[in-house]
PDB file of all heavy atoms in Angstrom:
ATOM      1  N   GLY A 276      41.977   1.531  -0.807  1.00 95.00           N
ATOM      2  CA  GLY A 276      40.627   1.674  -0.311  1.00 95.00           C
ATOM      3  C   GLY A 276      40.308   3.134  -0.059  1.00 95.00           C
ATOM      4  O   GLY A 276      41.137   3.878   0.472  1.00 95.00           O
ATOM      5  N   VAL A 277      39.121   3.550  -0.431  1.00 97.00           N
ATOM      6  CA  VAL A 277      38.674   4.926  -0.266  1.00 97.00           C
ATOM      7  C   VAL A 277      37.663   5.049   0.859  1.00 97.00           C
ATOM      8  O   VAL A 277      37.813   5.878   1.761  1.00 97.00           O
ATOM      9  CB  VAL A 277      38.080   5.473  -1.575  1.00 97.00           C
ATOM     10  CG1 VAL A 277      37.510   6.870  -1.371  1.00 97.00           C
ATOM     11  CG2 VAL A 277      39.138   5.483  -2.674  1.00 97.00           C
ATOM     12  N   ALA A 278      36.628   4.239   0.810  1.00 97.00           N
ATOM     13  CA  ALA A 278      35.568   4.298   1.806  1.00 97.00           C
ATOM     14  C   ALA A 278      34.862   2.957   1.856  1.00 97.00           C
ATOM     15  O   ALA A 278      34.667   2.316   0.828  1.00 97.00           O
ATOM     16  CB  ALA A 278      34.571   5.409   1.482  1.00 97.00           C
ATOM     17  N   VAL A 279      34.477   2.543   3.038  1.00 96.00           N
ATOM     18  CA  VAL A 279      33.794   1.270   3.229  1.00 96.00           C
ATOM     19  C   VAL A 279      32.605   1.464   4.161  1.00 96.00           C
ATOM     20  O   VAL A 279      32.688   2.208   5.146  1.00 96.00           O
ATOM     21  CB  VAL A 279      34.755   0.201   3.799  1.00 96.00           C
ATOM     22  CG1 VAL A 279      33.980  -1.023   4.293  1.00 96.00           C
ATOM     23  CG2 VAL A 279      35.771  -0.213   2.746  1.00 96.00           C
ATOM     24  N   MET A 280      31.521   0.793   3.845  1.00 95.00           N
ATOM     25  CA  MET A 280      30.335   0.764   4.698  1.00 95.00           C
ATOM     26  C   MET A 280      30.026  -0.680   5.044  1.00 95.00           C
ATOM     27  O   MET A 280      29.787  -1.505   4.161  1.00 95.00           O
ATOM     28  CB  MET A 280      29.136   1.408   4.005  1.00 95.00           C
ATOM     29  CG  MET A 280      27.839   1.264   4.797  1.00 95.00           C
ATOM     30  SD  MET A 280      26.423   2.074   4.001  1.00 95.00           S
ATOM     31  CE  MET A 280      26.787   3.790   4.397  1.00 95.00           C
ATOM     32  N   GLY A 281      30.039  -0.985   6.325  1.00 92.00           N
ATOM     33  CA  GLY A 281      29.698  -2.311   6.777  1.00 92.00           C
ATOM     34  C   GLY A 281      28.209  -2.576   6.675  1.00 92.00           C
ATOM     35  O   GLY A 281      27.403  -1.660   6.465  1.00 92.00           O
ATOM     36  N   ARG A 282      27.841  -3.833   6.816  1.00 87.00           N
ATOM     37  CA  ARG A 282      26.428  -4.186   6.746  1.00 87.00           C
ATOM     38  C   ARG A 282      25.612  -3.520   7.840  1.00 87.00           C
ATOM     39  O   ARG A 282      24.400  -3.322   7.677  1.00 87.00           O
ATOM     40  CB  ARG A 282      26.255  -5.702   6.821  1.00 87.00           C
ATOM     41  CG  ARG A 282      26.647  -6.419   5.542  1.00 87.00           C
ATOM     42  CD  ARG A 282      26.371  -7.900   5.640  1.00 87.00           C
ATOM     43  NE  ARG A 282      27.278  -8.558   6.576  1.00 87.00           N
ATOM     44  CZ  ARG A 282      27.198  -9.832   6.915  1.00 87.00           C
ATOM     45  NH1 ARG A 282      26.249 -10.605   6.400  1.00 87.00           N
ATOM     46  NH2 ARG A 282      28.070 -10.351   7.766  1.00 87.00           N
ATOM     47  N   ASN A 283      26.268  -3.170   8.939  1.00 85.00           N
ATOM     48  CA  ASN A 283      25.591  -2.478  10.022  1.00 85.00           C
ATOM     49  C   ASN A 283      25.510  -0.974   9.803  1.00 85.00           C
ATOM     50  O   ASN A 283      24.999  -0.253  10.657  1.00 85.00           O
ATOM     51  CB  ASN A 283      26.273  -2.777  11.354  1.00 85.00           C
ATOM     52  CG  ASN A 283      27.723  -2.333  11.389  1.00 85.00           C
ATOM     53  OD1 ASN A 283      28.237  -1.757  10.429  1.00 85.00           O
ATOM     54  ND2 ASN A 283      28.396  -2.616  12.496  1.00 85.00           N
ATOM     55  N   GLY A 284      26.026  -0.489   8.666  1.00 88.00           N
ATOM     56  CA  GLY A 284      25.988   0.922   8.350  1.00 88.00           C
ATOM     57  C   GLY A 284      27.191   1.715   8.813  1.00 88.00           C
ATOM     58  O   GLY A 284      27.294   2.906   8.499  1.00 88.00           O
ATOM     59  N   TYR A 285      28.079   1.103   9.555  1.00 93.00           N
ATOM     60  CA  TYR A 285      29.278   1.792  10.016  1.00 93.00           C
ATOM     61  C   TYR A 285      30.174   2.124   8.836  1.00 93.00           C
ATOM     62  O   TYR A 285      30.404   1.281   7.969  1.00 93.00           O
ATOM     63  CB  TYR A 285      30.036   0.932  11.017  1.00 93.00           C
ATOM     64  CG  TYR A 285      31.196   1.628  11.669  1.00 93.00           C
ATOM     65  CD1 TYR A 285      31.006   2.431  12.794  1.00 93.00           C
ATOM     66  CD2 TYR A 285      32.483   1.488  11.165  1.00 93.00           C
ATOM     67  CE1 TYR A 285      32.067   3.067  13.393  1.00 93.00           C
ATOM     68  CE2 TYR A 285      33.552   2.133  11.756  1.00 93.00           C
ATOM     69  CZ  TYR A 285      33.338   2.924  12.879  1.00 93.00           C
ATOM     70  OH  TYR A 285      34.397   3.562  13.475  1.00 93.00           O
ATOM     71  N   THR A 286      30.684   3.348   8.788  1.00 96.00           N
ATOM     72  CA  THR A 286      31.502   3.793   7.674  1.00 96.00           C
ATOM     73  C   THR A 286      32.915   4.111   8.122  1.00 96.00           C
ATOM     74  O   THR A 286      33.156   4.512   9.262  1.00 96.00           O
ATOM     75  CB  THR A 286      30.901   5.031   6.995  1.00 96.00           C
ATOM     76  OG1 THR A 286      30.783   6.091   7.952  1.00 96.00           O
ATOM     77  CG2 THR A 286      29.525   4.717   6.428  1.00 96.00           C
ATOM     78  N   SER A 287      33.850   3.932   7.217  1.00 96.00           N
ATOM     79  CA  SER A 287      35.232   4.304   7.457  1.00 96.00           C
ATOM     80  C   SER A 287      35.820   4.834   6.165  1.00 96.00           C
ATOM     81  O   SER A 287      35.387   4.459   5.074  1.00 96.00           O
ATOM     82  CB  SER A 287      36.045   3.118   7.987  1.00 96.00           C
ATOM     83  OG  SER A 287      36.011   2.022   7.092  1.00 96.00           O
ATOM     84  N   TYR A 288      36.818   5.706   6.294  1.00 97.00           N
ATOM     85  CA  TYR A 288      37.381   6.401   5.151  1.00 97.00           C
ATOM     86  C   TYR A 288      38.894   6.420   5.210  1.00 97.00           C
ATOM     87  O   TYR A 288      39.489   6.422   6.293  1.00 97.00           O
ATOM     88  CB  TYR A 288      36.897   7.850   5.102  1.00 97.00           C
ATOM     89  CG  TYR A 288      35.416   8.003   4.932  1.00 97.00           C
ATOM     90  CD1 TYR A 288      34.564   8.010   6.031  1.00 97.00           C
ATOM     91  CD2 TYR A 288      34.862   8.152   3.666  1.00 97.00           C
ATOM     92  CE1 TYR A 288      33.199   8.153   5.863  1.00 97.00           C
ATOM     93  CE2 TYR A 288      33.496   8.295   3.499  1.00 97.00           C
ATOM     94  CZ  TYR A 288      32.672   8.295   4.603  1.00 97.00           C
ATOM     95  OH  TYR A 288      31.320   8.438   4.434  1.00 97.00           O
ATOM     96  N   ALA A 289      39.498   6.454   4.029  1.00 97.00           N
ATOM     97  CA  ALA A 289      40.921   6.708   3.960  1.00 97.00           C
ATOM     98  C   ALA A 289      41.194   8.127   4.444  1.00 97.00           C
ATOM     99  O   ALA A 289      40.393   9.038   4.212  1.00 97.00           O
ATOM    100  CB  ALA A 289      41.429   6.531   2.536  1.00 97.00           C
ATOM    101  N   ASP A 290      42.321   8.319   5.112  1.00 97.00           N
ATOM    102  CA  ASP A 290      42.646   9.643   5.624  1.00 97.00           C
ATOM    103  C   ASP A 290      42.680  10.698   4.522  1.00 97.00           C
ATOM    104  O   ASP A 290      42.348  11.862   4.753  1.00 97.00           O
ATOM    105  CB  ASP A 290      43.990   9.612   6.346  1.00 97.00           C
ATOM    106  CG  ASP A 290      43.931   8.889   7.672  1.00 97.00           C
ATOM    107  OD1 ASP A 290      42.823   8.715   8.214  1.00 97.00           O
ATOM    108  OD2 ASP A 290      44.994   8.496   8.182  1.00 97.00           O
ATOM    109  N   SER A 291      43.071  10.302   3.327  1.00 97.00           N
ATOM    110  CA  SER A 291      43.222  11.246   2.237  1.00 97.00           C
ATOM    111  C   SER A 291      41.902  11.842   1.757  1.00 97.00           C
ATOM    112  O   SER A 291      41.901  12.893   1.112  1.00 97.00           O
ATOM    113  CB  SER A 291      43.943  10.587   1.059  1.00 97.00           C
ATOM    114  OG  SER A 291      43.219   9.466   0.587  1.00 97.00           O
ATOM    115  N   VAL A 292      40.781  11.186   2.058  1.00 98.00           N
ATOM    116  CA  VAL A 292      39.484  11.667   1.593  1.00 98.00           C
ATOM    117  C   VAL A 292      38.546  12.028   2.722  1.00 98.00           C
ATOM    118  O   VAL A 292      37.455  12.549   2.473  1.00 98.00           O
ATOM    119  CB  VAL A 292      38.794  10.640   0.673  1.00 98.00           C
ATOM    120  CG1 VAL A 292      39.722  10.226  -0.462  1.00 98.00           C
ATOM    121  CG2 VAL A 292      38.341   9.414   1.470  1.00 98.00           C
ATOM    122  N   LYS A 293      38.944  11.778   3.949  1.00 97.00           N
ATOM    123  CA  LYS A 293      38.086  12.032   5.095  1.00 97.00           C
ATOM    124  C   LYS A 293      37.690  13.506   5.153  1.00 97.00           C
ATOM    125  O   LYS A 293      38.532  14.392   5.033  1.00 97.00           O
ATOM    126  CB  LYS A 293      38.796  11.614   6.378  1.00 97.00           C
ATOM    127  CG  LYS A 293      37.899  11.473   7.589  1.00 97.00           C
ATOM    128  CD  LYS A 293      38.665  10.845   8.755  1.00 97.00           C
ATOM    129  CE  LYS A 293      39.162   9.447   8.418  1.00 97.00           C
ATOM    130  NZ  LYS A 293      39.879   8.815   9.558  1.00 97.00           N
ATOM    131  N   GLY A 294      36.404  13.742   5.319  1.00 98.00           N
ATOM    132  CA  GLY A 294      35.891  15.097   5.349  1.00 98.00           C
ATOM    133  C   GLY A 294      35.497  15.640   4.000  1.00 98.00           C
ATOM    134  O   GLY A 294      34.839  16.687   3.921  1.00 98.00           O
ATOM    135  N   ARG A 295      35.893  14.966   2.927  1.00 98.00           N
ATOM    136  CA  ARG A 295      35.556  15.396   1.575  1.00 98.00           C
ATOM    137  C   ARG A 295      34.627  14.427   0.865  1.00 98.00           C
ATOM    138  O   ARG A 295      33.811  14.838   0.045  1.00 98.00           O
ATOM    139  CB  ARG A 295      36.825  15.579   0.740  1.00 98.00           C
ATOM    140  CG  ARG A 295      37.779  16.627   1.283  1.00 98.00           C
ATOM    141  CD  ARG A 295      38.915  16.902   0.302  1.00 98.00           C
ATOM    142  NE  ARG A 295      39.746  15.724   0.066  1.00 98.00           N
ATOM    143  CZ  ARG A 295      39.891  15.126  -1.112  1.00 98.00           C
ATOM    144  NH1 ARG A 295      39.261  15.606  -2.187  1.00 98.00           N
ATOM    145  NH2 ARG A 295      40.675  14.064  -1.239  1.00 98.00           N
ATOM    146  N   PHE A 296      34.771  13.137   1.131  1.00 98.00           N
ATOM    147  CA  PHE A 296      33.974  12.105   0.481  1.00 98.00           C
ATOM    148  C   PHE A 296      32.987  11.512   1.473  1.00 98.00           C
ATOM    149  O   PHE A 296      33.281  11.404   2.674  1.00 98.00           O
ATOM    150  CB  PHE A 296      34.859  10.975  -0.046  1.00 98.00           C
ATOM    151  CG  PHE A 296      35.745  11.336  -1.208  1.00 98.00           C
ATOM    152  CD1 PHE A 296      35.892  12.645  -1.638  1.00 98.00           C
ATOM    153  CD2 PHE A 296      36.443  10.339  -1.871  1.00 98.00           C
ATOM    154  CE1 PHE A 296      36.716  12.967  -2.703  1.00 98.00           C
ATOM    155  CE2 PHE A 296      37.269  10.641  -2.939  1.00 98.00           C
ATOM    156  CZ  PHE A 296      37.401  11.957  -3.360  1.00 98.00           C
ATOM    157  N   THR A 297      31.837  11.089   0.965  1.00 98.00           N
ATOM    158  CA  THR A 297      30.820  10.447   1.787  1.00 98.00           C
ATOM    159  C   THR A 297      30.277   9.222   1.073  1.00 98.00           C
ATOM    160  O   THR A 297      29.815   9.318  -0.067  1.00 98.00           O
ATOM    161  CB  THR A 297      29.657  11.403   2.098  1.00 98.00           C
ATOM    162  OG1 THR A 297      30.159  12.581   2.737  1.00 98.00           O
ATOM    163  CG2 THR A 297      28.656  10.730   3.028  1.00 98.00           C
ATOM    164  N   ILE A 298      30.329   8.079   1.739  1.00 98.00           N
ATOM    165  CA  ILE A 298      29.758   6.860   1.187  1.00 98.00           C
ATOM    166  C   ILE A 298      28.350   6.681   1.741  1.00 98.00           C
ATOM    167  O   ILE A 298      28.097   6.938   2.919  1.00 98.00           O
ATOM    168  CB  ILE A 298      30.642   5.634   1.507  1.00 98.00           C
ATOM    169  CG1 ILE A 298      30.134   4.382   0.787  1.00 98.00           C
ATOM    170  CG2 ILE A 298      30.751   5.401   3.003  1.00 98.00           C
ATOM    171  CD1 ILE A 298      31.075   3.183   0.897  1.00 98.00           C
ATOM    172  N   SER A 299      27.440   6.261   0.896  1.00 96.00           N
ATOM    173  CA  SER A 299      26.070   6.021   1.325  1.00 96.00           C
ATOM    174  C   SER A 299      25.476   4.908   0.479  1.00 96.00           C
ATOM    175  O   SER A 299      26.042   4.516  -0.547  1.00 96.00           O
ATOM    176  CB  SER A 299      25.221   7.291   1.234  1.00 96.00           C
ATOM    177  OG  SER A 299      25.137   7.754  -0.104  1.00 96.00           O
ATOM    178  N   LYS A 300      24.338   4.416   0.908  1.00 94.00           N
ATOM    179  CA  LYS A 300      23.714   3.287   0.232  1.00 94.00           C
ATOM    180  C   LYS A 300      22.202   3.408   0.293  1.00 94.00           C
ATOM    181  O   LYS A 300      21.640   3.818   1.310  1.00 94.00           O
ATOM    182  CB  LYS A 300      24.184   1.980   0.887  1.00 94.00           C
ATOM    183  CG  LYS A 300      23.684   0.714   0.248  1.00 94.00           C
ATOM    184  CD  LYS A 300      24.353  -0.517   0.861  1.00 94.00           C
ATOM    185  CE  LYS A 300      24.024  -0.665   2.334  1.00 94.00           C
ATOM    186  NZ  LYS A 300      24.550  -1.941   2.889  1.00 94.00           N
ATOM    187  N   ASP A 301      21.559   3.064  -0.798  1.00 93.00           N
ATOM    188  CA  ASP A 301      20.113   3.003  -0.867  1.00 93.00           C
ATOM    189  C   ASP A 301      19.752   1.549  -1.146  1.00 93.00           C
ATOM    190  O   ASP A 301      19.830   1.089  -2.284  1.00 93.00           O
ATOM    191  CB  ASP A 301      19.570   3.920  -1.957  1.00 93.00           C
ATOM    192  CG  ASP A 301      18.055   4.008  -1.959  1.00 93.00           C
ATOM    193  OD1 ASP A 301      17.394   3.081  -1.470  1.00 93.00           O
ATOM    194  OD2 ASP A 301      17.526   5.019  -2.458  1.00 93.00           O
ATOM    195  N   ASN A 302      19.379   0.821  -0.108  1.00 88.00           N
ATOM    196  CA  ASN A 302      19.076  -0.594  -0.275  1.00 88.00           C
ATOM    197  C   ASN A 302      17.856  -0.825  -1.159  1.00 88.00           C
ATOM    198  O   ASN A 302      17.799  -1.818  -1.886  1.00 88.00           O
ATOM    199  CB  ASN A 302      18.860  -1.253   1.090  1.00 88.00           C
ATOM    200  CG  ASN A 302      20.143  -1.473   1.848  1.00 88.00           C
ATOM    201  OD1 ASN A 302      21.215  -1.634   1.258  1.00 88.00           O
ATOM    202  ND2 ASN A 302      20.058  -1.491   3.169  1.00 88.00           N
ATOM    203  N   ALA A 303      16.888   0.077  -1.110  1.00 90.00           N
ATOM    204  CA  ALA A 303      15.690  -0.063  -1.931  1.00 90.00           C
ATOM    205  C   ALA A 303      16.032  -0.023  -3.413  1.00 90.00           C
ATOM    206  O   ALA A 303      15.405  -0.708  -4.220  1.00 90.00           O
ATOM    207  CB  ALA A 303      14.673   1.018  -1.590  1.00 90.00           C
ATOM    208  N   LYS A 304      17.008   0.793  -3.779  1.00 95.00           N
ATOM    209  CA  LYS A 304      17.447   0.904  -5.168  1.00 95.00           C
ATOM    210  C   LYS A 304      18.637   0.016  -5.476  1.00 95.00           C
ATOM    211  O   LYS A 304      19.095  -0.031  -6.625  1.00 95.00           O
ATOM    212  CB  LYS A 304      17.801   2.350  -5.502  1.00 95.00           C
ATOM    213  CG  LYS A 304      16.629   3.311  -5.428  1.00 95.00           C
ATOM    214  CD  LYS A 304      17.057   4.720  -5.812  1.00 95.00           C
ATOM    215  CE  LYS A 304      15.888   5.678  -5.790  1.00 95.00           C
ATOM    216  NZ  LYS A 304      16.293   7.056  -6.159  1.00 95.00           N
ATOM    217  N   ASN A 305      19.149  -0.667  -4.457  1.00 94.00           N
ATOM    218  CA  ASN A 305      20.341  -1.494  -4.605  1.00 94.00           C
ATOM    219  C   ASN A 305      21.469  -0.703  -5.266  1.00 94.00           C
ATOM    220  O   ASN A 305      22.088  -1.142  -6.247  1.00 94.00           O
ATOM    221  CB  ASN A 305      20.041  -2.756  -5.407  1.00 94.00           C
ATOM    222  CG  ASN A 305      20.531  -4.017  -4.722  1.00 94.00           C
ATOM    223  OD1 ASN A 305      20.526  -4.112  -3.490  1.00 94.00           O
ATOM    224  ND2 ASN A 305      20.954  -5.002  -5.503  1.00 94.00           N
ATOM    225  N   THR A 306      21.719   0.465  -4.699  1.00 96.00           N
ATOM    226  CA  THR A 306      22.715   1.373  -5.260  1.00 96.00           C
ATOM    227  C   THR A 306      23.609   1.924  -4.157  1.00 96.00           C
ATOM    228  O   THR A 306      23.116   2.356  -3.116  1.00 96.00           O
ATOM    229  CB  THR A 306      22.053   2.538  -6.006  1.00 96.00           C
ATOM    230  OG1 THR A 306      21.216   2.016  -7.044  1.00 96.00           O
ATOM    231  CG2 THR A 306      23.103   3.442  -6.627  1.00 96.00           C
ATOM    232  N   LEU A 307      24.897   1.900  -4.397  1.00 97.00           N
ATOM    233  CA  LEU A 307      25.899   2.483  -3.524  1.00 97.00           C
ATOM    234  C   LEU A 307      26.373   3.794  -4.136  1.00 97.00           C
ATOM    235  O   LEU A 307      26.527   3.886  -5.357  1.00 97.00           O
ATOM    236  CB  LEU A 307      27.078   1.526  -3.366  1.00 97.00           C
ATOM    237  CG  LEU A 307      28.224   1.961  -2.450  1.00 97.00           C
ATOM    238  CD1 LEU A 307      27.809   1.826  -0.988  1.00 97.00           C
ATOM    239  CD2 LEU A 307      29.477   1.139  -2.748  1.00 97.00           C
ATOM    240  N   TYR A 308      26.632   4.796  -3.300  1.00 98.00           N
ATOM    241  CA  TYR A 308      27.051   6.103  -3.778  1.00 98.00           C
ATOM    242  C   TYR A 308      28.359   6.528  -3.127  1.00 98.00           C
ATOM    243  O   TYR A 308      28.681   6.122  -2.006  1.00 98.00           O
ATOM    244  CB  TYR A 308      26.003   7.172  -3.462  1.00 98.00           C
ATOM    245  CG  TYR A 308      24.642   6.894  -4.032  1.00 98.00           C
ATOM    246  CD1 TYR A 308      23.636   6.334  -3.246  1.00 98.00           C
ATOM    247  CD2 TYR A 308      24.346   7.198  -5.358  1.00 98.00           C
ATOM    248  CE1 TYR A 308      22.380   6.087  -3.768  1.00 98.00           C
ATOM    249  CE2 TYR A 308      23.093   6.946  -5.884  1.00 98.00           C
ATOM    250  CZ  TYR A 308      22.113   6.392  -5.085  1.00 98.00           C
ATOM    251  OH  TYR A 308      20.872   6.144  -5.606  1.00 98.00           O
ATOM    252  N   LEU A 309      29.086   7.350  -3.845  1.00 98.00           N
ATOM    253  CA  LEU A 309      30.229   8.046  -3.275  1.00 98.00           C
ATOM    254  C   LEU A 309      30.117   9.509  -3.679  1.00 98.00           C
ATOM    255  O   LEU A 309      30.325   9.850  -4.844  1.00 98.00           O
ATOM    256  CB  LEU A 309      31.558   7.461  -3.765  1.00 98.00           C
ATOM    257  CG  LEU A 309      32.809   8.084  -3.133  1.00 98.00           C
ATOM    258  CD1 LEU A 309      32.885   7.732  -1.646  1.00 98.00           C
ATOM    259  CD2 LEU A 309      34.076   7.619  -3.852  1.00 98.00           C
ATOM    260  N   GLN A 310      29.756  10.347  -2.721  1.00 98.00           N
ATOM    261  CA  GLN A 310      29.713  11.780  -2.949  1.00 98.00           C
ATOM    262  C   GLN A 310      31.105  12.339  -2.734  1.00 98.00           C
ATOM    263  O   GLN A 310      31.679  12.187  -1.650  1.00 98.00           O
ATOM    264  CB  GLN A 310      28.720  12.450  -1.997  1.00 98.00           C
ATOM    265  CG  GLN A 310      28.640  13.966  -2.139  1.00 98.00           C
ATOM    266  CD  GLN A 310      28.078  14.394  -3.468  1.00 98.00           C
ATOM    267  OE1 GLN A 310      27.097  13.838  -3.938  1.00 98.00           O
ATOM    268  NE2 GLN A 310      28.700  15.388  -4.088  1.00 98.00           N
ATOM    269  N   MET A 311      31.654  12.974  -3.749  1.00 98.00           N
ATOM    270  CA  MET A 311      33.009  13.493  -3.706  1.00 98.00           C
ATOM    271  C   MET A 311      32.952  15.007  -3.846  1.00 98.00           C
ATOM    272  O   MET A 311      32.534  15.526  -4.886  1.00 98.00           O
ATOM    273  CB  MET A 311      33.868  12.883  -4.813  1.00 98.00           C
ATOM    274  CG  MET A 311      33.909  11.361  -4.781  1.00 98.00           C
ATOM    275  SD  MET A 311      35.044  10.666  -6.019  1.00 98.00           S
ATOM    276  CE  MET A 311      34.205  11.175  -7.519  1.00 98.00           C
ATOM    277  N   ASP A 312      33.366  15.703  -2.814  1.00 98.00           N
ATOM    278  CA  ASP A 312      33.391  17.159  -2.800  1.00 98.00           C
ATOM    279  C   ASP A 312      34.824  17.645  -2.656  1.00 98.00           C
ATOM    280  O   ASP A 312      35.709  16.912  -2.231  1.00 98.00           O
ATOM    281  CB  ASP A 312      32.544  17.703  -1.646  1.00 98.00           C
ATOM    282  CG  ASP A 312      31.083  17.341  -1.746  1.00 98.00           C
ATOM    283  OD1 ASP A 312      30.525  17.396  -2.858  1.00 98.00           O
ATOM    284  OD2 ASP A 312      30.482  17.003  -0.696  1.00 98.00           O
ATOM    285  N   SER A 313      35.034  18.898  -2.991  1.00 98.00           N
ATOM    286  CA  SER A 313      36.364  19.511  -2.891  1.00 98.00           C
ATOM    287  C   SER A 313      37.422  18.648  -3.560  1.00 98.00           C
ATOM    288  O   SER A 313      38.491  18.382  -2.998  1.00 98.00           O
ATOM    289  CB  SER A 313      36.721  19.756  -1.424  1.00 98.00           C
ATOM    290  OG  SER A 313      35.779  20.598  -0.800  1.00 98.00           O
ATOM    291  N   LEU A 314      37.128  18.227  -4.760  1.00 98.00           N
ATOM    292  CA  LEU A 314      38.024  17.319  -5.465  1.00 98.00           C
ATOM    293  C   LEU A 314      39.367  17.970  -5.757  1.00 98.00           C
ATOM    294  O   LEU A 314      39.451  19.174  -6.032  1.00 98.00           O
ATOM    295  CB  LEU A 314      37.377  16.849  -6.763  1.00 98.00           C
ATOM    296  CG  LEU A 314      36.309  15.770  -6.578  1.00 98.00           C
ATOM    297  CD1 LEU A 314      35.429  15.658  -7.809  1.00 98.00           C
ATOM    298  CD2 LEU A 314      36.967  14.424  -6.275  1.00 98.00           C
ATOM    299  N   LYS A 315      40.401  17.152  -5.689  1.00 98.00           N
ATOM    300  CA  LYS A 315      41.767  17.577  -5.938  1.00 98.00           C
ATOM    301  C   LYS A 315      42.347  16.790  -7.102  1.00 98.00           C
ATOM    302  O   LYS A 315      41.912  15.670  -7.369  1.00 98.00           O
ATOM    303  CB  LYS A 315      42.629  17.344  -4.695  1.00 98.00           C
ATOM    304  CG  LYS A 315      42.118  18.004  -3.435  1.00 98.00           C
ATOM    305  CD  LYS A 315      42.965  17.599  -2.237  1.00 98.00           C
ATOM    306  CE  LYS A 315      42.470  18.240  -0.966  1.00 98.00           C
ATOM    307  NZ  LYS A 315      43.289  17.824   0.205  1.00 98.00           N
ATOM    308  N   PRO A 316      43.343  17.340  -7.793  1.00 97.00           N
ATOM    309  CA  PRO A 316      43.962  16.583  -8.884  1.00 97.00           C
ATOM    310  C   PRO A 316      44.454  15.205  -8.453  1.00 97.00           C
ATOM    311  O   PRO A 316      44.401  14.264  -9.252  1.00 97.00           O
ATOM    312  CB  PRO A 316      45.125  17.491  -9.314  1.00 97.00           C
ATOM    313  CG  PRO A 316      44.639  18.862  -9.020  1.00 97.00           C
ATOM    314  CD  PRO A 316      43.861  18.719  -7.733  1.00 97.00           C
ATOM    315  N   GLU A 317      44.914  15.072  -7.219  1.00 96.00           N
ATOM    316  CA  GLU A 317      45.392  13.786  -6.747  1.00 96.00           C
ATOM    317  C   GLU A 317      44.280  12.763  -6.544  1.00 96.00           C
ATOM    318  O   GLU A 317      44.553  11.591  -6.277  1.00 96.00           O
ATOM    319  CB  GLU A 317      46.204  13.935  -5.448  1.00 96.00           C
ATOM    320  CG  GLU A 317      45.495  14.717  -4.368  1.00 96.00           C
ATOM    321  CD  GLU A 317      45.938  16.168  -4.323  1.00 96.00           C
ATOM    322  OE1 GLU A 317      46.038  16.794  -5.392  1.00 96.00           O
ATOM    323  OE2 GLU A 317      46.192  16.675  -3.203  1.00 96.00           O
ATOM    324  N   ASP A 318      43.022  13.190  -6.665  1.00 98.00           N
ATOM    325  CA  ASP A 318      41.904  12.254  -6.636  1.00 98.00           C
ATOM    326  C   ASP A 318      41.697  11.568  -7.979  1.00 98.00           C
ATOM    327  O   ASP A 318      40.878  10.647  -8.075  1.00 98.00           O
ATOM    328  CB  ASP A 318      40.606  12.957  -6.239  1.00 98.00           C
ATOM    329  CG  ASP A 318      40.631  13.482  -4.814  1.00 98.00           C
ATOM    330  OD1 ASP A 318      41.136  12.773  -3.920  1.00 98.00           O
ATOM    331  OD2 ASP A 318      40.129  14.602  -4.593  1.00 98.00           O
ATOM    332  N   THR A 319      42.398  12.015  -8.999  1.00 98.00           N
ATOM    333  CA  THR A 319      42.274  11.415 -10.321  1.00 98.00           C
ATOM    334  C   THR A 319      42.641   9.943 -10.264  1.00 98.00           C
ATOM    335  O   THR A 319      43.733   9.580  -9.824  1.00 98.00           O
ATOM    336  CB  THR A 319      43.169  12.142 -11.321  1.00 98.00           C
ATOM    337  OG1 THR A 319      42.715  13.491 -11.482  1.00 98.00           O
ATOM    338  CG2 THR A 319      43.141  11.454 -12.678  1.00 98.00           C
TER     339      THR A 319
END
């Protein structure tokens, strides 16, 4: 698991990506996003 967003909007992250990845959701577009910054080879 990398990141999870509950129905109430609460988010949680794996320690390995915390501070670098952000999970978000646009309900109007029915789209989930994962913004990944400062990527590392181990993220492959």
Side-chain angles (χ1 to χ4, degrees):
V277 175
V279 167
M280 174 178 284
R282 286 184 290 175
N283 60 2
Y285 187 85
T286 59
S287 58
Y288 297 87
D290 288 341
S291 60
V292 307
K293 196 171 299 181
R295 299 188 297 118
F296 291 9
T297 303
I298 187 172
S299 62
K300 183 173 63 174
D301 187 336
N302 285 332
K304 296 182 178 180
N305 230 34
T306 302
L307 181 75
Y308 302 99
L309 184 67
Q310 178 66 44
M311 304 185 295
D312 298 319
S313 301
L314 283 163
K315 304 174 180 179
E317 52 262 45
D318 295 319
T319 295

